[in-house]
Amino acid sequence: MESYLLCNIRENQKTITLKAEKLVMYLQSKWVEAFDENGHVYYLLFYKNDYITWTKPVWQNRHSHLEQSFKKGMTFPAPHPFLVNLLATKEVFPKVAVSHLPEKLQKSYTPHETSLILTFLDSFESKGTIFKPIQSIYYKYRRNGQMFAGYRIIRILQDFLPEHSWVKDIASSFEFEKYNSMYHLVSEELMEKDPLFSEKSLYKSTEEEDSYRLLELMKKEHRILDHTALSLEAYRKFKSLSSYTLMKSLLEDAFSVAEQIYIIEELKGISGKNNHILQDLLHLYLKENEVEKLCNLLAQDAITLTVEQRNSFEKMLLTMDFEENRVQVEKLNSYLLPILDTNSLKASELLQNCVSRLLSEYDISYVLEWLEPLKRNEEAGKLYYTFEKMSHLVDDPDQQFLLGELYYEFQRFDAAIDCFSWQMELDKTDPKPVQWLSKIYLETGKEDESKAYQQLYQEMSKEA
């Protein structure tokens, strides 16, 4: 799977294709880090789920919003479904000059949202340049007598430029004292009156209760992507069943089955053998017909299948293409007996494929052990007897020809070649092992070797 996604950006009339490598989500901002063919980095900025602009980093500000985002935010490398969904919002992402943003943003967002978005750009413009339009918004509120609305702008500027003399003077003025006490705790009143500040405070909190309050805020604002990402983060932090249940519900509502699988597989990697995760993966694999992943899951983890799940799994196995799927068959013998008892040709073929796959990775004694619980079935019993016979032939130098034929039957061509080559050395007058070597080399695409042995076979046959 590729570790990047393609996206197109535009500047003036020129379109550039970039490789998007990661998504970083921090507070209300989302950053997509992408690279052009020369390795130059670009950043696409989103506010909540809305695209704002793209740009290149200019200012080396250690405390910029971009730097804080990559340090403290949630990172999702490509091809994570969150990144896929975000990039799907536009076919081409146009460049909007930072100088035009204040006017453009105020057409779509509140003055407070506009001010906040502008503070995200301090890696691309000087803080002084960004400060001026935000200050103008404050003065407009002040002239209109909207003191609390003006104070909300000051709180944004306190985070953005805490040491700025004008900001410090205004924030400490007597007329704002009555609002200052409201900001000591994130109360329900504050969440209603200043959701932007409340979101930032709840995001920084390490308390589990505040995580759920933040999730409620996401739900209220219908921010599905943020809601899902934060519920995922809550589960990673607290490992609680409630956080997992919420995340699963959000995934089911907003993401495809394949995307749900991607995200829950990631959780399995950090959670180990969590039964809820294993059962959900089992359900999703069956739903998506992910036979290879399902077989591998059953091979690695002890999971009990319901009757319905077992029936669905058996149908998947019977239609599985062993050439396309690199399944782990080590534990499949626990599930094969009911399938074999149907006496179908497909069941017999499935058993042969499993045994052939095992023989390519393990020795004969392992395959015998694997067949043991199945041998009461007639077809499996015949195979068990064959492998018992092979186990006795392995150490018998006089029986390598017969062993080679058996290896060939299970498509273990390298082992068969070794046996026939040994037999050829033992009896240099017998043309049969030579004929077999010609046949196997031809079937494995080695025509020159096949022709050489075919010619030797013909010469030996004349002399016989």
Side-chain angles (χ1 to χ4, degrees):
M1 192 175 287
E2 298 287 0
S3 58
Y4 62 84
L5 296 166
L6 296 179
C7 64
N8 295 313
I9 62 172
R10 181 179 295 144
E11 185 172 23
N12 299 323
Q13 300 302 313
K14 183 180 180 182
T15 299
I16 306 169
T17 298
L18 304 178
K19 293 179 178 179
E21 295 192 356
K22 69 175 68 169
L23 164 65
V24 175
M25 300 173 64
Y26 181 61
L27 295 170
Q28 300 91 342
S29 67
K30 295 181 179 68
W31 298 95
V32 174
E33 184 179 69
F35 298 85
D36 64 18
E37 60 182 3
N38 298 313
H40 298 136
V41 65
Y42 294 73
Y43 292 100
L44 283 67
L45 170 63
F46 295 75
Y47 172 70
K48 298 181 179 177
N49 276 0
D50 299 336
Y51 171 70
I52 303 299
T53 189
W54 64 261
T55 189
K56 295 181 179 181
V58 177
W59 303 93
Q60 300 300 316
N61 181 354
R62 288 181 55 247
H63 302 291
S64 68
H65 181 82
L66 177 64
E67 193 270 347
Q68 291 298 302
S69 297
F70 275 73
K71 183 178 179 181
K72 300 177 181 178
M74 299 175 287
T75 300
F76 304 97
H80 197 284
F82 294 164
L83 178 56
V84 172
N85 279 262
L86 196 62
L87 292 179
T89 57
K90 283 186 179 294
E91 291 185 5
V92 179
F93 297 92
K95 175 71 176 287
V96 181
V98 175
S99 58
H100 297 159
L101 274 176
E103 181 181 355
K104 182 177 174 63
L105 290 173
Q106 290 196 66
K107 293 178 181 178
S108 303
Y109 303 102
T110 68
H112 297 96
E113 288 180 306
T114 297
S115 300
L116 183 64
I117 293 168
L118 291 174
T119 67
F120 297 163
L121 297 165
D122 54 350
S123 283
F124 315 102
E125 285 287 345
S126 69
K127 288 198 171 188
T129 302
I130 295 170
F131 170 74
K132 290 178 182 178
I134 301 176
Q135 185 185 44
S136 297
I137 292 172
Y138 163 77
Y139 278 129
K140 184 177 180 180
Y141 278 129
R142 179 73 179 248
R143 287 193 300 272
N144 293 337
Q146 296 171 280
M147 300 305 291
F148 180 68
Y151 184 69
R152 287 181 62 191
I153 298 295
I154 296 302
R155 297 299 301 208
I156 292 170
L157 286 171
Q158 279 186 297
D159 283 339
F160 183 57
L161 286 170
E163 299 304 319
H164 193 288
S165 57
W166 182 87
V167 174
K168 291 171 75 173
D169 288 344
I170 294 293
S172 61
S173 63
F174 175 77
E175 57 194 342
F176 290 133
E177 279 189 8
K178 59 183 177 181
Y179 303 127
N180 185 49
S181 60
M182 185 191 303
Y183 284 77
H184 291 165
L185 293 173
V186 184
S187 63
E188 294 302 317
E189 180 187 13
L190 183 63
M191 288 183 70
E192 185 68 31
K193 292 184 175 180
D194 194 345
L196 297 180
F197 178 88
S198 300
E199 181 174 341
K200 187 170 187 176
S201 297
L202 292 173
Y203 189 96
K204 290 181 176 180
S205 174
T206 58
E207 297 296 324
E208 186 170 3
E209 180 184 349
D210 286 338
S211 291
Y212 291 114
R213 294 179 70 196
L214 181 58
L215 288 168
E216 282 299 312
L217 182 60
M218 298 300 102
K219 181 179 179 180
K220 183 178 179 180
E221 295 185 359
H222 306 289
R223 288 160 60 183
I224 298 297
L225 191 57
D226 300 80
H227 198 181
T228 309
L230 285 167
S231 68
L232 179 61
E233 188 68 12
Y235 175 74
R236 285 174 173 164
K237 282 182 181 178
F238 307 114
K239 299 291 189 301
S240 65
L241 178 58
S242 57
S243 60
Y244 178 75
T245 303
L246 171 61
M247 185 216 64
K248 180 187 166 188
S249 173
L250 291 168
L251 287 178
E252 290 171 348
D253 289 343
F255 294 88
S256 69
V257 175
E259 289 172 330
Q260 292 176 50
I261 287 173
Y262 185 101
I263 294 168
I264 297 177
E265 281 179 341
E266 278 196 331
L267 285 184
K268 180 179 181 292
I270 63 173
S271 302
K273 294 189 177 182
N274 180 300
N275 190 56
H276 298 290
I277 290 176
L278 295 178
Q279 286 295 330
D280 285 336
L281 281 177
L282 176 63
H283 169 73
L284 292 170
Y285 289 159
L286 286 168
K287 190 173 183 179
E288 195 73 352
N289 201 35
E290 287 280 5
V291 61
E292 181 176 342
K293 289 186 175 183
L294 180 53
C295 289
N296 293 342
L297 181 72
L298 294 172
Q300 295 165 6
D301 302 282
I303 302 177
T304 301
L305 299 180
T306 65
V307 173
E308 183 180 355
Q309 288 172 338
R310 181 181 285 274
N311 290 338
S312 298
F313 181 43
E314 289 171 1
K315 290 177 182 177
M316 288 173 62
L317 288 175
L318 287 173
T319 57
M320 177 175 60
D321 187 337
F322 262 77
E323 294 300 319
E324 293 184 2
N325 293 284
R326 289 299 303 176
V327 300
Q328 290 182 313
V329 299
E330 287 83 350
K331 292 190 179 179
L332 289 188
N333 54 351
S334 303
Y335 306 95
L336 288 180
L337 201 54
I339 302 177
L340 295 175
D341 287 342
T342 64
N343 294 317
S344 71
L345 291 175
K346 274 287 184 181
S348 178
E349 181 185 340
L350 172 62
L351 180 61
Q352 288 279 351
N353 284 328
C354 286
V355 167
S356 181
R357 177 68 60 79
L358 288 170
L359 195 57
S360 70
E361 299 178 22
Y362 300 98
D363 60 20
I364 292 171
S365 61
Y366 181 92
V367 181
L368 267 175
E369 184 179 345
W370 187 88
L371 285 167
E372 177 72 32
L374 303 173
K375 67 179 183 180
R376 73 165 179 81
N377 172 268
E378 182 179 359
E379 191 69 27
K382 291 176 182 177
L383 274 177
Y384 185 84
Y385 170 76
T386 299
F387 275 90
E388 257 192 335
K389 185 177 180 180
M390 290 174 71
S391 69
H392 297 307
L393 297 177
V394 168
D395 298 321
D396 188 343
D398 296 327
Q399 297 293 331
Q400 293 305 294
F401 185 88
L402 178 56
L403 183 60
E405 289 181 311
L406 292 171
Y407 273 126
Y408 175 83
E409 182 182 336
F410 295 106
Q411 297 184 314
R412 302 282 46 92
F413 299 125
D414 288 343
I417 286 172
D418 289 341
C419 290
F420 291 128
S421 297
W422 173 269
Q423 184 66 30
M424 180 180 163
E425 290 298 320
L426 278 182
D427 187 350
K428 298 184 184 298
T429 63
D430 186 358
K432 290 181 181 178
V434 179
Q435 185 181 29
W436 269 102
L437 288 169
S438 176
K439 174 183 172 68
I440 294 172
Y441 279 123
L442 182 62
E443 290 184 13
T444 54
K446 298 178 179 179
E447 293 184 7
D448 291 341
E449 290 87 341
S450 177
K451 287 178 181 178
Y453 278 106
Q454 179 63 23
Q455 184 176 350
L456 178 58
Y457 171 72
Q458 290 172 353
E459 292 172 358
M460 293 176 70
S461 296
K462 291 178 183 178
E463 294 174 2

